[in-house]
């Protein structure tokens, strides 16, 4: 038995039984709920507690990120949606029709994150449209974070169920 065979038997290279996939899933959702519209959420807590300069800093960072996000959406929105939809469709078809496990895993990561992206653009537009600042801005960012966490929990739940199903099916088939 050669070294490569030993490594492949020791480390399962399939997506849903690979520890690195689950670490990537956890890091993805942890980062998504921490960086709300590109703003670290701890700034919202600091602005609530201290006000003053912390609140002004938060409003400046939010303004910069909202303008940046909406500029990108306005300039590349149609292309981003078209290319993103094509990639998600390719992952869905190759994963769930042709049963390529890596495509399934990538789809289960990318699809919910695309929802977070759309939600972020909508929230950014609302922040700019309503000229939110102070407690109204903090409330909007907290609400946005809550919905990101809801999407994340549902995504992790569905991914865990699908991953367990895949692993049990693989084991039942004698893999």
């Amino acid at each position: 038995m050669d070294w490569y065979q030993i490594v492949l038997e020791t480390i399962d290279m399939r997506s849903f039984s690979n520890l690195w996939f689950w670490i990537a899933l956890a890091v993805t959702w942890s980062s998504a709920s921490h960086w709300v519209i590109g703003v670290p959420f701890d700034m919202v807590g600091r602005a609530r507690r201290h006000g003053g300069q912390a609140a002004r800093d938060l409003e400046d960072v939010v303004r910069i990120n909202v303008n940046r996000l909406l500029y990108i959406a306005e300039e590349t929105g149609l292309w981003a949606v078209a290319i993103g939809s094509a990639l998600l469709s390719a992952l869905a078809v190759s994963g769930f029709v042709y049963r390529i496990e890596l495509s399934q895993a990538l789809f289960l990561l990318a699809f919910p994150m695309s929802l977070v992206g759309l939600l972020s653009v909508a929230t950014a537009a609302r922040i700019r449209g309503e000229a939110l600042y102070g407690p109204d801005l903090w409330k909007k960012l907290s609400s946005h974070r809550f919905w990101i966490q809801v999407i994340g929990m549902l995504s992790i739940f569905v991914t865990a169920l699908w991953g367990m199903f895949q692993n049990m099916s693989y084991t039942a088939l004698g893999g």
Side-chain angles (χ1 to χ4, degrees):
M1 190 179 275
D2 65 343
W3 182 82
Y4 185 73
Q5 185 70 24
I6 293 170
V7 169
L8 285 180
E9 285 182 5
T10 306
I11 304 170
D12 194 350
M13 300 304 276
R14 296 177 313 114
S15 298
F16 295 112
S17 60
N18 192 325
L19 178 63
W20 291 109
F21 170 74
W22 297 105
I23 291 171
L25 183 70
V27 168
T28 297
W29 286 110
S30 175
S31 297
S33 70
H34 177 70
W35 293 91
V36 178
I37 308 179
V39 178
F41 195 74
D42 61 286
M43 287 184 76
V44 176
R46 196 172 318 123
R48 277 190 184 133
R49 283 190 307 276
H50 303 294
Q53 186 61 44
R56 286 189 298 277
D57 289 347
L58 173 67
E59 290 168 4
D60 289 342
V61 172
V62 168
R63 179 184 47 79
I64 290 167
N65 282 309
V66 161
N67 288 337
R68 183 180 144 273
L69 185 61
L70 292 178
Y71 174 77
I72 291 169
E74 290 164 1
E75 293 296 315
T76 65
L78 184 60
W79 283 104
V81 169
I83 292 170
S85 297
L87 289 173
L88 286 173
S89 296
L91 287 173
V93 169
S94 65
F96 299 104
V97 174
Y98 294 109
R99 303 203 186 281
I100 298 173
E101 192 171 312
L102 178 62
S103 295
Q104 293 171 1
L106 290 175
F107 178 82
L108 290 170
L109 274 170
F111 177 71
M113 286 306 294
S114 68
L115 297 177
V116 169
L118 293 173
L119 181 65
S120 294
V121 170
T123 301
R126 187 163 179 199
I127 288 170
R128 183 166 37 173
E130 296 177 10
L132 297 178
Y133 66 95
D136 292 334
L137 176 62
W138 309 336
K139 184 178 178 184
K140 188 65 189 162
L141 291 174
S142 296
S143 172
H144 180 68
R145 182 181 193 218
F146 171 78
W147 288 111
I148 289 174
Q149 289 175 330
V150 167
I151 293 169
M153 285 187 300
L154 289 172
S155 171
I156 291 169
F157 180 72
V158 168
T159 302
L161 286 179
W162 185 256
M164 285 187 290
F165 172 73
Q166 288 296 100
N167 288 334
M168 289 177 8
S169 297
Y170 182 78
T171 303
L173 294 174

